[in-house]
Amino acid sequence: MVSGNLFHCRRNSWPAEEYVGRTALQLLDFDGGSPPEQAWRRRLNSHANLLKEFSVTFMEAMRMMSLGLRLWSYVREEASHGRKAPIDPFTKEKCKPSASQGVPLGGMGSGSISRGFRGEFKNWHIIPGLCETSPVMENQFSIFVSRDGGNKKYSSVLSPGHHEGLKKCNDSGISSWDWNLSGQHSTYHALFPRAWTVYDGEPDPDLKISCRQISPFIPHDYKDSSLPTSVFVYTLVNTGKDRAKVSLLMTWANSIGGFSHHSGGHFNEPFITAKDNPPVTFAIAACETQNVNVTVLPVFGLSGEGHDSAKQMWDRMKQNGHFDRENFEAGTSMPSSSGETLCAAVSASTWVEPHGRCTVVFGLAWSSPKIKFQKGCTYNRRYTEFYGTSERSAVNLVHDALTKYRIWEEEIEKWQNPILKNEKLPEWYKFTLFNELYFLVAGGTVWTDGQPPVIDGKPSPGSNQQKSSKRGTRDTKQESVKDNHVKLTAEQVTNGGDLANGEEQSVSKYAAVHGPQMAKATNGLGSQEPIPYLLSKNGPENVGKFLYLEGVEYIMWCTYDVHFYASFALLDLFPKIELSIQRDFANAVLYEDRRRMKFLADGTSGIRKVKGAVPHDLGTHDPWHEMNAYNIHDTSKWKDLNPKFVYRDFAATGDMSFGRDVWPAVCAAMDYMNQFDRDGDGLIENDGFPDQTYDAWTVHGISAYCGGLWLAALQAAATMAHRLGDRPFAEKYKLKFIQAKAVYEAKLWNGSYFNYDSGTSSNSRSIQADQLAGQWYAASSGLPPLFDENKIRSALQKIFEFNVMKVKGGRLGAVNGMTPNGKVDETCMQSREIWTGVTYGVAANMLLHGMEHQGFTTAEGIFIAGWSEEGYGYWFQTPEGWTIDGHYRSLIYMRPLAIWAMQWARSPPKAILDAPKVNLMDRIHLSPQMIRAMNEINVRKIAPDNRCFPSSAFRCEC
């Protein structure tokens, strides 16, 4: 927990020598075994404290009582259909969240498994939108060491994790294993997408061990970055005087988390056979070399009925250090019964000479080729373009991972080293920048092959009928979890790839196949006509379609008001994915879904998707087909979604084809917003409810946040029109920009910052941390500043002094709202929260305007409170925000990816750097008619701001 003295000290360095002895680091410094100089670090015996969730105040609860009752009713209604509501604050996970997360496994969009810093496999996100948080404790790495002719032996699970009921008497399960690791001399070092665990003399005092975890997250690589696989490279150094026989063991249960391993009907077999593309296949493997002998145990269980028990398996490893080679020829096991857990094991044994070194490599892959959403649509994942949809793909995936991981590491280092070696950057920033990318793997991402689904057994228009075996399908068959089968498979395949010594090697594989753990299928769209926007082109290269959740607690795909912040990471590292998402939204803008839905904030109803409005999200249970899963407010009336849609991605990529493709949607989105300019002054007004991303924070009249975004959108739309040759549109929106800018400054600028809004409520003069979001948007797009530089810097300095430094000395981030007298704005729960992604965005804005000290200090507050050893424990699960006492709201959230906006500010993309250093707005020449209109605006007196609402309306309601 954050203590008081934390805010009076500053830690500038996290040297590895403080966690691992210098001698051990030097000994492990071969074959990548030594952890990097810059990394997030923990000792394995660190206490994983339970995290504290936020709570609303009594007055907030009273104001939101009606909303709460409607939301509770909606959650129950969805549950009656076997679905989880997109927002459900009432159902809590059985496994309480704790400060125990680590770097997740695998690439993007193929299902993810997280691994805690103490070694447990947890947070299973294989099924879209469903995250099983509990660790599967049977999944472990273990070690067995024998010295001096067997007179000295050491054995232990390589995790200090405490399992309920461990060491019970007469237990034949995993409690019978040796859990001897204290973790006192073992450390974890994270630099996403890799992690190192160093065992410095544990459990054998004369053996140094490093486990390096590698996943294929490689910027601009749209193939390997989609692969569901990880590699674990063990580096062994014998510092003793006698040779040591070392056996490493990987055990794996037939489970995708939760209680799936108890469902029954699971079985193991020694060879994978095709069987109708089952949803999940696991493969565990080890590389066999001249020095490393690999054996497998096809099946063991916790009870030992009909096969070895976990205790018998462990005792055999302690005695022999390996299994029988004949196990590769074993036949299919008997299916498991309900409540029984089946597991598999792969052992790799080697001799390590005195002062010798050795490398042992394990691999893990999982294959869930089809993505089935709960309302019926089924798609193929991206990696099936390269590996197909058969059960065999898991074996091929793990084989390729074991032969290619060195190439992956070279590419990862080539990407990361320029930042890591930049001495001008704070050390905390270097590794936090990379570690926040965990969300693109663990944030429920889905990456399809881009092909349309088959709806109700009929191919979508434009699909290739002959390729239906590869294309996604809508499956209407209702399946019972108890009827599913799980297979475990062992096999040995020749591997011509080279490892440390270039020897010919073989790869021993073991695969587990899971049946679907899915709720029963529903009718979904039924006989509704296919939605045209699904059939649009995806640019010159089809990189598939990409979804990621707003958060694991807010189950909505590609929530756009939040994506605005997070998308800097995608645009920088995977720009083709970002353009694919943007095309999806462009098509959605031009689409209307007239199905009715109820809005829970006020109980009214309206149509699901209004033409011209940017949707809040792409849906939950039937993405792309049923958008706007968010139903708290009617987001067709929100004021920030449409402005956020315009221009930036076009400016960043310079892709004229993309610009032409989305231009009709940009025009429609801009014209749609004119209805909210009710007095014709060019500036939109908010409508007295939380009609923007701060969806509990009411806004009246003109607001700094939405109004600023609108100014940026006007300038961006005019500039984009000029570049695309649409002169009338360029003139139209340049004029609106000139008109609106004058009104905005006159209404909101108070001499040192922009007021929260133009109303007369108690918080209208509040200092909003995000008040310059529009200027950030403009500067990030290479556009001219919206305001004079002195005004921008004055507002940013005010935010720094008040929202940042007046909250525990700047060690929490930027609070959303602060009153002019230096007190936190308590108007509603969101005004008093610190939002992690917004803080990163504010810091990026400061960097864009030469305020490096303020920018890095502001962002460092998120690191100290969320990631540091003295903080609240939010590493690799960064929440949407926390209160000033550190209580979180919504863990594993999308918006903190905005830290990449800071890197964007430091290193803008080539298209922006190479753009002509001229103000394109100056090149938009207004016609005489436009000039006359502008002159009329300039002489018009701006009326006092009491026109939108009566004075009695200016009471903020949340």
Side-chain angles (χ1 to χ4, degrees):
M1 298 296 294
V2 174
S3 58
N5 63 1
L6 166 68
F7 303 104
H8 302 286
C9 65
R10 178 169 181 158
R11 187 185 184 97
N12 293 313
S13 178
W14 287 46
E17 291 85 352
E18 290 190 13
Y19 292 81
V20 185
R22 187 179 297 274
T23 301
L25 289 173
Q26 292 172 347
L27 291 170
L28 292 169
D29 191 19
F30 85 102
D31 194 30
S34 183
E37 291 183 15
Q38 288 88 19
W40 179 89
R41 311 185 200 277
R42 279 296 177 278
R43 298 190 188 280
L44 265 61
N45 66 343
S46 298
H47 177 61
N49 57 286
L50 294 179
L51 306 180
K52 294 184 178 180
E53 191 171 9
F54 87 108
S55 59
V56 297
T57 66
F58 176 78
M59 291 304 298
E60 289 168 353
M62 291 297 99
R63 285 196 293 264
M64 294 190 293
M65 181 174 292
S66 296
L67 166 62
L69 290 173
R70 295 188 194 100
L71 180 57
W72 180 74
S73 177
Y74 172 69
V75 169
R76 291 188 63 190
E77 179 185 355
E78 287 293 285
S80 71
H81 295 293
R83 299 189 296 263
K84 184 172 175 61
I87 300 174
D88 179 6
F90 309 106
T91 306
K92 301 300 181 183
E93 292 285 348
K94 293 181 180 179
C95 180
K96 294 183 179 180
S98 63
S100 60
Q101 297 292 352
V103 174
L105 308 175
M108 298 187 297
S110 296
S112 69
I113 306 167
S114 291
R115 192 169 185 234
F117 73 87
R118 295 183 298 186
E120 65 273 27
F121 294 87
K122 59 196 301 182
N123 281 38
W124 300 74
H125 217 145
I126 305 296
I127 298 172
L130 178 63
C131 183
E132 295 285 358
T133 58
S134 299
V136 177
M137 294 301 291
E138 293 84 358
N139 298 350
Q140 298 289 346
F141 286 101
S142 304
I143 192 167
F144 304 83
V145 184
S146 176
R147 293 179 182 271
D148 191 21
N151 292 325
K152 282 199 291 187
K153 287 190 173 185
Y154 306 90
S155 60
S156 180
V157 177
L158 287 175
S159 170
H162 300 291
H163 184 58
E164 183 180 354
L166 282 180
K167 293 302 178 186
K168 292 189 297 185
C169 294
N170 302 320
D171 186 8
S172 61
I174 64 171
S175 298
S176 64
W177 296 356
D178 297 326
W179 299 79
N180 296 328
L181 197 77
S182 71
Q184 181 179 358
H185 302 291
S186 302
T187 51
Y188 181 83
H189 312 256
L191 186 64
F192 179 90
R194 296 189 292 173
W196 292 253
T197 305
V198 176
Y199 307 90
D200 190 1
E202 288 192 276
D204 181 347
D206 292 326
L207 189 66
K208 311 295 184 184
I209 310 166
S210 170
C211 173
R212 186 165 85 258
Q213 172 186 312
I214 307 153
S215 293
F217 184 97
I218 304 164
H220 307 285
D221 185 332
Y222 296 88
K223 177 185 175 182
D224 287 359
S225 295
S226 73
L227 304 184
T229 186
S230 288
V231 172
F232 305 88
V233 182
Y234 278 85
T235 303
L236 309 172
V237 180
N238 183 5
T239 61
K241 297 180 180 179
D242 50 1
R243 69 194 305 241
K245 182 183 180 182
V246 181
S247 298
L248 288 162
L249 176 72
M250 184 179 188
T251 52
W252 199 260
N254 299 357
S255 176
I256 54 173
F259 296 98
S260 60
H261 51 298
H262 292 157
S263 59
H266 302 184
F267 62 91
N268 301 357
E269 62 181 24
F271 191 79
I272 290 182
T273 58
K275 191 177 174 70
D276 195 25
N277 300 323
V280 185
T281 306
F282 288 100
I284 59 176
C287 277
E288 187 168 74
T289 71
Q290 291 179 355
N291 299 322
V292 179
N293 179 53
V294 175
T295 56
V296 301
L297 183 63
V299 60
F300 71 91
L302 302 186
S303 64
E305 297 178 5
H307 41 69
D308 283 357
S309 68
K311 183 178 188 304
Q312 289 171 326
M313 180 278 298
W314 190 266
D315 290 343
R316 186 175 303 169
M317 283 297 300
K318 285 182 68 172
Q319 181 177 353
N320 303 326
H322 59 81
F323 302 115
D324 295 334
R325 296 287 295 185
E326 291 76 13
N327 287 344
F328 282 109
E329 307 300 325
T332 303
S333 71
M334 294 294 293
S336 65
S337 58
S338 179
E340 182 182 15
T341 301
L342 289 187
C343 307
V346 173
S347 167
S349 304
T350 186
W351 284 95
V352 187
E353 299 298 326
H355 308 291
R357 302 171 177 178
C358 186
T359 299
V360 178
V361 187
F362 289 88
L364 167 68
W366 56 98
S367 177
S368 176
K370 293 187 181 297
I371 309 155
K372 188 176 188 303
F373 294 101
Q374 284 189 289
K375 287 193 175 180
C377 276
T378 301
Y379 303 85
N380 287 339
R381 294 193 191 266
R382 166 72 173 170
Y383 76 87
T384 63
E385 284 284 297
F386 320 109
Y387 286 86
T389 58
S390 77
E391 297 179 23
R392 181 77 184 177
S393 60
V395 174
N396 295 333
L397 280 161
V398 79
H399 177 280
D400 289 354
L402 292 171
T403 58
K404 293 179 66 176
Y405 76 88
R406 290 184 178 280
I407 299 174
W408 294 343
E409 287 196 286
E410 289 176 4
E411 293 300 317
I412 291 168
E413 291 172 1
K414 190 185 303 182
W415 158 46
Q416 293 184 337
N417 280 344
I419 294 172
L420 296 175
K421 294 180 179 180
N422 187 337
E423 295 181 356
K424 296 181 180 179
L425 296 175
E427 188 167 359
W428 68 264
Y429 170 79
K430 296 177 187 180
F431 55 80
T432 308
L433 178 71
F434 294 113
N435 285 337
E436 287 283 20
L437 290 171
Y438 84 93
F439 187 83
L440 289 177
V441 172
T445 51
V446 167
W447 194 354
T448 79
D449 62 1
Q451 298 297 326
V454 172
I455 300 177
D456 288 339
K458 298 178 181 179
S460 298
S463 64
N464 186 340
Q465 182 71 39
Q466 294 181 348
K467 296 178 70 175
S468 61
S469 63
K470 283 204 67 177
R471 195 175 60 250
T473 60
R474 180 185 291 275
D475 185 1
T476 58
K477 180 181 178 181
Q478 294 186 355
E479 296 170 306
S480 169
V481 170
K482 291 186 178 180
D483 293 332
N484 297 325
H485 295 286
V486 174
K487 301 180 192 173
L488 289 177
T489 304
E491 121 174 73
Q492 196 170 48
V493 179
T494 300
N495 172 18
D498 56 333
L499 289 177
N501 51 16
E503 303 166 358
E504 183 177 309
Q505 301 155 40
S506 63
V507 182
S508 297
K509 302 186 179 68
Y510 198 72
V513 182
H514 271 282
Q517 307 291 326
M518 194 71 72
K520 291 183 178 180
T522 62
N523 290 331
L525 294 174
S527 60
Q528 181 175 321
E529 290 295 318
I531 295 177
Y533 70 83
L534 277 175
L535 309 177
S536 67
K537 291 183 179 179
N538 197 27
E541 179 186 352
N542 178 15
V543 296
K545 286 182 176 289
F546 192 87
L547 300 169
Y548 63 146
L549 291 174
E550 180 178 336
V552 296
E553 297 177 37
Y554 296 160
I555 309 172
M556 295 164 283
W557 301 109
C558 296
T559 301
Y560 200 77
D561 56 305
V562 185
H563 174 73
F564 170 75
Y565 299 81
S567 57
F568 282 91
L570 284 173
L571 189 54
D572 196 358
L573 305 176
F574 297 94
K576 293 177 183 178
I577 289 179
E578 169 60 16
L579 295 189
S580 171
I581 294 173
Q582 198 75 342
R583 279 189 167 92
D584 285 340
F585 276 94
N587 289 320
V589 166
L590 303 176
Y591 170 73
E592 185 159 280
D593 184 347
R594 301 195 64 81
R595 287 175 290 185
R596 306 291 293 182
M597 63 186 298
K598 185 177 181 179
F599 304 115
L600 304 181
D602 56 10
T604 62
S605 62
I607 69 172
R608 178 171 290 276
K609 169 66 180 66
V610 177
K611 187 175 182 179
V614 172
H616 172 273
D617 55 81
L618 292 178
T620 292
H621 299 306
D622 201 1
W624 300 296
H625 288 267
E626 187 179 88
M627 294 172 289
N628 283 335
Y630 176 90
N631 60 352
I632 305 297
H633 299 291
D634 182 355
T635 59
S636 69
K637 298 176 182 177
W638 276 21
K639 310 307 185 296
D640 64 332
L641 291 170
N642 282 37
K644 289 173 176 177
F645 173 69
V646 184
Y647 190 67
R648 185 204 61 184
D649 293 358
F650 172 62
T653 61
D655 189 331
M656 296 300 290
S657 174
F658 166 78
R660 287 189 290 268
D661 287 348
V662 302
W663 181 238
V666 170
C667 294
M670 293 298 295
D671 289 344
Y672 179 87
M673 294 299 292
N674 288 330
Q675 64 181 301
F676 303 119
D677 176 14
R678 296 183 174 85
D679 56 3
D681 63 0
L683 198 59
I684 60 172
E685 290 89 31
N686 292 84
D687 284 330
F689 75 99
D691 49 356
Q692 25 80 41
T693 195
Y694 299 91
D695 58 350
W697 199 358
T698 298
V699 196
H700 298 286
I702 298 167
S703 75
Y705 182 72
C706 296
L709 287 169
W710 177 240
L711 287 183
L714 289 171
Q715 182 174 236
T719 302
M720 188 173 181
H722 175 75
R723 293 182 63 178
L724 294 174
D726 190 340
R727 180 177 174 181
F729 196 97
E731 289 189 19
K732 171 184 174 182
Y733 280 95
K734 177 178 179 177
L735 178 62
K736 277 187 174 289
F737 171 74
I738 295 170
Q739 182 184 10
K741 180 177 181 294
V743 176
Y744 182 93
E745 294 194 71
K747 295 288 185 175
L748 297 178
W749 180 250
N750 63 21
S752 60
Y753 65 94
F754 293 97
N755 289 337
Y756 175 70
D757 64 28
S758 62
T760 58
S761 63
S762 60
N763 71 319
S764 288
R765 285 183 57 84
S766 284
I767 307 162
Q768 184 181 13
D770 219 0
Q771 63 182 267
L772 288 176
Q775 172 54 36
W776 174 44
Y777 168 14
S780 298
S781 303
L783 294 169
L786 301 179
F787 318 108
D788 292 340
E789 185 67 21
N790 63 329
K791 288 184 177 179
I792 297 169
R793 291 177 65 92
S794 172
L796 289 173
Q797 186 63 30
K798 190 77 172 184
I799 294 165
F800 179 71
E801 292 174 358
F802 278 66
N803 301 61
V804 178
M805 299 307 296
K806 286 186 180 294
V807 182
K808 296 197 175 178
R811 295 303 183 251
L812 285 181
V815 69
N816 283 337
M818 181 69 77
T819 63
N821 63 5
K823 303 294 184 182
V824 173
D825 186 340
E826 301 280 354
T827 301
C828 66
M829 69 176 189
Q830 290 178 343
S831 64
R832 61 184 173 90
E833 287 179 327
I834 293 99
W835 282 11
T836 53
V838 168
T839 297
Y840 286 142
V842 170
N845 209 357
M846 291 172 174
L847 296 182
L848 285 164
H849 294 280
M851 303 171 68
E852 287 214 354
H853 167 72
Q854 294 91 329
F856 282 116
T857 301
T858 295
E860 189 180 14
I862 301 301
F863 166 74
I864 292 174
W867 288 81
S868 75
E869 199 157 6
E870 300 87 355
Y872 298 113
Y874 297 131
W875 47 82
F876 299 103
Q877 52 187 333
T878 316
E880 159 75 307
W882 47 67
T883 57
I884 58 174
D885 54 4
H887 294 188
Y888 74 88
R889 183 165 62 82
S890 187
L891 292 172
I892 311 182
Y893 196 77
M894 178 197 292
R895 205 182 320 245
L897 285 170
I899 192 173
W900 278 85
M902 297 178 66
Q903 192 61 23
W904 182 281
R906 296 194 68 263
S907 303
K910 188 174 185 296
I912 289 179
L913 288 174
D914 293 348
K917 301 299 185 278
V918 294
N919 186 343
L920 291 181
M921 292 288 279
D922 293 339
R923 294 188 174 183
I924 302 173
H925 301 295
L926 299 180
S927 64
Q929 294 85 350
M930 288 290 184
I931 293 174
R932 282 197 298 272
M934 185 172 64
N935 289 334
E936 292 175 4
I937 294 167
N938 289 337
V939 299
R940 184 187 304 157
K941 182 178 179 180
I942 298 175
D945 188 28
N946 58 3
R947 64 203 184 287
C948 297
F949 305 95
S951 58
S952 61
F954 292 109
R955 294 189 180 92
C956 183
E957 296 179 0
C958 297

